Amino acid sequence: MKLRDAPSSCPSLWRCLPCPPAEMRLDLVLSSGQSFRWWESSPGAWTGVLGGRVWTLRQDGDRLWYTVYRQEDEQEEEWDGCPAKAAKLDATETDRILRDYFQLDVELSALYRGWGAADPLFRKVASDFPGVRVLRQDPVECLFSFICTSNNHISRITAMIERLCQAFGRRLCCLDSRPFHAFPSLSALTGADAEARLRALGFGYRAKFVSGSARAIAEGLGTEGLCQLRTAPYAEARRVLCALPGVGAKAEAVPVDTHVWHIARQRYGVALGGKSLTPRAYQEIGDFFRGLWGPRAGWAQAVLFCADLHKGQKSAGSQHQAWES
């Protein structure tokens, strides 16, 4: 049986990590617009691409279960009566990849308590949205994904990233007739026809930003230099990133966009930055939330964003039901 014809699971090849819901809610984290490579392949199970491999994740009680699939060039052999489907990878390494991706070394429940003590509004929202943490994504994938978020919404961004990966990324495997591709390399996005191909894929004005940033990084700091910005001082990292085509002042420890601006004005009653999002407004709003929530202010903001996102989805669903009735 080929991989694409294989059943959806092979339980003996699943592994797990300790992960209580207070420390992470998989469904909230993977649907909150941080990454656009995951889809709910069955109720409670999420399949996506991470580290050049295809994974399925499932949370059950205090455990995070996962399996990793073989790439197509590894499909020749089968073992234990299970179709050539799950990769024989080092368990220590796969555990490390997941722990790093979800930043499981950060004690989230303690952060929630601190944010709640400082902010009554956060405390009210947090009780319904526990376990929202920030992903530690590959810098190249994260950068180009968020260039695509300009004037966009999650479902459309997800579709754009899928087209980008299919057109420029290496094919990894096929599950239930669905192909999965790696995120494109910088070299794949720097070709002379990259911008035209991206426009044909529906990227519009973002096509110029994606191809332009790919060339700027390839000719400048490179992939390694981009990764090193993780440990650079905030001001330096911001300066370098904002010099790239399509990257603006939204690149902050608290990502200030019109959504966060409205939260600051409407929910916190702060009149910062005047009536529009000027560079001064970006700085002032970011400073306000960093002063309120502390060093991991971006994590606290992710909780409020997730709450607003789900509130909006629920409202849209109610409107849709009313329309149908």
Side-chain angles (χ1 to χ4, degrees), residues 6-27:
S8 61
S9 65
C10 186
S12 63
L13 299 175
W14 286 73
R15 287 182 52 80
C16 69
L17 293 171
C19 190
E23 287 300 315
M24 185 174 72
R25 275 278 303 276
L26 190 66
D27 58 331

Side-chain angles (χ1 to χ4, degrees), residues 252 256 261 272-274 276-287:
E252 299 215 19
V256 177
W261 183 47
L272 296 172
S276 62
L277 268 175
T278 62
R280 178 183 174 185
Y282 281 112
Q283 186 65 45
E284 289 182 347
I285 294 171
D287 288 345

Side-chain angles (χ1 to χ4, degrees), residues 12 49-50 68-70 73 81 90 110 128 134 142 153 174 191 199 208 215 221 231 233-234 242 261 302 320:
S12 63
V49 180
L50 169 61
V68 188
Y69 302 97
R70 287 185 174 190
D73 58 3
D90 179 74
D128 292 326
V134 173
C142 186
H153 55 79
C174 189
R199 288 188 180 276
K208 181 178 181 180
R215 285 193 301 272
L221 71 164
T231 57
Y234 165 68
C242 287
W261 183 47
H320 181 65

